[in-house]
Amino acid sequence: MPHPLPSPREITASGPLKGRVTVPGDKSISHRSLMLSALAVGESRISWLLEGEDVLATAAAMRSMGADIERGADGVWRVHGVGVGGLLQPQAALEMGNSGTSTRLLMGLIASHGITATFTGDASLSKRPMGRVIEPLSKMGAEFTASPGGRLPLMLRGINPAVPIAYTLPVASAQVKSAVLLAGLNTPGITRVIEPVATRDHSERMLRGFGAELTVEESPAGKIISIRGEAELKPQEIVVPGDPSSAAFLVVAATIVPGSDIVVENVGLNPTRAGIFTALRLMGASIEEVNPREVGGEPVADLRVRHASLTAIEVPGELAPSMIDEYPALFVAAAFAHGRTVARGAHELRVKESDRIAAMAAALGACGVETEEFEDGLAVLGRGGDPIAGGATIATHLDHRVAMSLAVAALNAKAPVTLDDASPVATSYPAFFDQLAQLQA
């Protein structure tokens, strides 16, 4: 799938951020809402679905396999599902764009159906490893023909009935866990995933909500998540909470720009996702939870964020699984702290949309921030609250989070910062630049 022509963008510091803003719906929950609604029998309704390119790729894939998915004029998405086991043979390749989540979870979904699908993606996605999903799904009986290195494009031949397995995750990955559980939905018997290190639990919460028989128990080896196959899923009314990964960029922006005072509304605070806010608070950030509540089984609150003086920390390694996508934003916060922040234990950053450790080290270095790169993270020498130099053109590497991170850093830079390509931001947060402008106004 070709990527659009590069869209350079210059960002200039323009004073404090003020006001209220609502971030897009959670990307992880949006993907899962569409997939499980497409496997339920009857009509599900989804409010506040993230309408970024990644989630739209999931919607297109489920349509191509028989689900009826439409967005109403009221902004509510209505999904008429085909039932577990009812997926149809897609007539064309499944175009995944930049979405690793869509690809890995759909591989799981299709693996236990008797259909064949070809997955393609853009240049960035085609570099990402799929072997970690191919391995357990192959044990269940699915067959794969992948590009060298277990990458896209690849062809998947599902099998029905698939073989239930007990699989211990070799890496902390919610995507691998979810792929196996989704394959288990249409697999006779009980499929188990053993999780030595906890990862985000949206799949478990939502599978239960749709009526799947799923249990979680603690053991010396870690959490054992078991799902009984040949499930019957019931349609649901889903309200998607605001994405904490998207909120993190605005939270960091308000924290580092003097005089800022904003409220980010309706932010999902699932404890398996909220590590970035814990880390920022450890550094001294002013983040107040207002009106805490529960929406669709997920904890939610409005976050009031004010400018604060930050102090460098050594980021606790146990936070890594709950903030793996937010490290680029954390590195930016660290650039404005007093002292040297060290964040390690995040090997996963090497195999995201880009090598985020290398990309962020290069980007911050170009803006005058001293960093030290490790195999599993980064050390950042902060400026003690002073503006960074800026004045650089940043390679975003087709990575939405690298682009948004440097856009935030530019809000407290002496000279404008130019992103060589801002278009990848549309994969997860299409309104990002408009909302930044709204808060700056």
Side-chain angles (χ1 to χ4, degrees):
M1 182 175 180
H3 189 77
L5 290 174
S7 175
R9 190 179 192 106
E10 182 180 272
I11 296 102
T12 303
S14 59
L17 282 66
K18 302 278 188 178
R20 305 178 71 91
V21 69
T22 301
V23 294
D26 185 283
K27 186 152 72 87
S28 297
I29 295 174
S30 293
H31 283 302
R32 290 159 173 82
S33 297
L34 287 170
M35 292 181 193
L36 295 185
S37 295
L39 291 181
V41 177
E43 181 185 87
S44 294
R45 292 160 52 90
I46 309 170
S47 303
W48 298 106
L49 186 85
L50 169 62
E51 296 179 7
E53 292 172 357
D54 283 11
V55 174
L56 297 180
T58 292
M62 299 316 298
R63 281 193 196 101
S64 74
M65 291 185 286
D68 182 3
I69 303 175
E70 297 295 338
R71 183 190 190 277
D74 56 0
V76 176
W77 288 70
R78 292 165 176 82
V79 183
H80 288 268
V82 297
V84 173
L87 293 181
L88 303 178
Q89 173 71 43
Q91 297 305 304
L94 303 180
E95 298 267 6
M96 295 290 97
N98 192 236
S99 183
T101 303
S102 302
T103 306
R104 292 181 176 128
L105 269 59
L106 286 170
M107 286 166 65
L109 210 58
I110 293 168
S112 57
H113 287 72
I115 60 178
T116 298
T118 298
F119 290 84
T120 61
D122 69 9
S124 170
L125 182 61
S126 297
K127 295 176 184 175
R128 299 182 67 182
M130 297 297 155
R132 58 180 57 178
V133 179
I134 291 172
E135 180 194 354
L137 298 180
S138 296
K139 292 178 186 292
M140 298 180 78
E143 296 181 358
F144 295 84
T145 304
S147 297
R151 290 174 165 81
L152 267 55
L154 66 75
M155 180 184 291
L156 159 58
R157 299 172 194 83
I159 187 169
N160 185 16
V163 179
I165 60 171
Y167 186 71
T168 300
L169 294 177
V171 294
S173 172
Q175 292 180 1
V176 178
K177 171 178 67 176
S178 298
V180 176
L181 293 175
L182 290 173
L185 269 179
N186 197 42
T187 299
I190 296 177
T191 297
R192 293 183 174 87
V193 177
I194 298 93
E195 184 178 58
V197 178
T199 64
R200 58 186 64 177
D201 64 355
H202 301 305
S203 292
E204 296 95 304
R205 289 173 185 252
M206 194 167 286
L207 282 163
R208 279 202 194 105
F210 272 85
E213 189 178 322
L214 182 143
T215 61
V216 180
E217 56 184 308
E218 298 289 346
S219 79
K223 282 186 180 175
I224 302 175
I225 304 132
S226 304
I227 189 166
R228 183 175 294 280
E230 300 177 304
E232 292 186 17
L233 302 187
K234 300 174 179 61
Q236 301 294 312
E237 296 270 345
I238 299 167
V239 179
V240 180
D243 195 319
S245 297
S246 297
F249 296 102
L250 301 183
V251 168
V252 170
T255 298
I256 66 172
V257 177
S260 295
D261 186 348
I262 69 171
V263 175
V264 188
E265 298 177 337
N266 197 45
V267 180
L269 295 176
N270 182 309
T272 64
R273 291 285 303 284
I276 180 65
F277 306 124
T278 301
L280 290 171
R281 287 187 177 112
L282 290 173
M283 297 174 76
S286 173
I287 306 170
E288 178 188 354
E289 293 180 17
V290 180
N291 187 22
R293 55 204 183 273
E294 191 168 285
V295 176
E298 296 275 349
V300 167
D302 304 330
L303 300 181
R304 183 181 183 189
V305 189
R306 286 167 277 194
H307 171 252
S309 176
L310 299 180
T311 302
I313 62 169
E314 186 159 328
V315 180
E318 62 268 20
L319 288 180
S322 64
M323 58 177 286
I324 197 67
D325 287 327
E326 291 74 61
Y327 272 93
L330 180 79
F331 296 150
V332 169
F336 294 91
H338 294 266
R340 183 174 183 263
T341 296
V342 179
R344 303 195 65 167
H347 300 84
E348 271 305 279
L349 296 179
R350 294 285 186 189
V351 291
K352 290 290 186 177
E353 282 84 335
S354 68
D355 178 340
R356 286 180 177 160
I357 295 172
M360 288 301 298
L364 289 173
C367 290
V369 180
E370 185 179 324
T371 66
E372 181 183 357
E373 189 174 332
F374 308 112
E375 181 56 35
D376 63 344
L378 206 61
V380 180
L381 184 61
R383 302 271 303 162
D386 292 337
I388 61 173
T393 295
I394 302 302
T396 60
H397 301 282
L398 299 179
D399 192 325
H400 54 135
R401 302 205 195 278
V402 172
M404 287 187 281
S405 295
L406 270 296
V408 167
L411 300 179
N412 193 6
K414 294 175 183 175
V417 173
T418 300
L419 307 178
D420 71 340
D421 186 4
S423 63
V425 170
T427 66
S428 65
Y429 198 164
F432 174 70
F433 292 108
D434 289 341
Q435 290 192 331
L436 265 190
Q438 171 193 330
L439 293 171
Q440 289 174 305

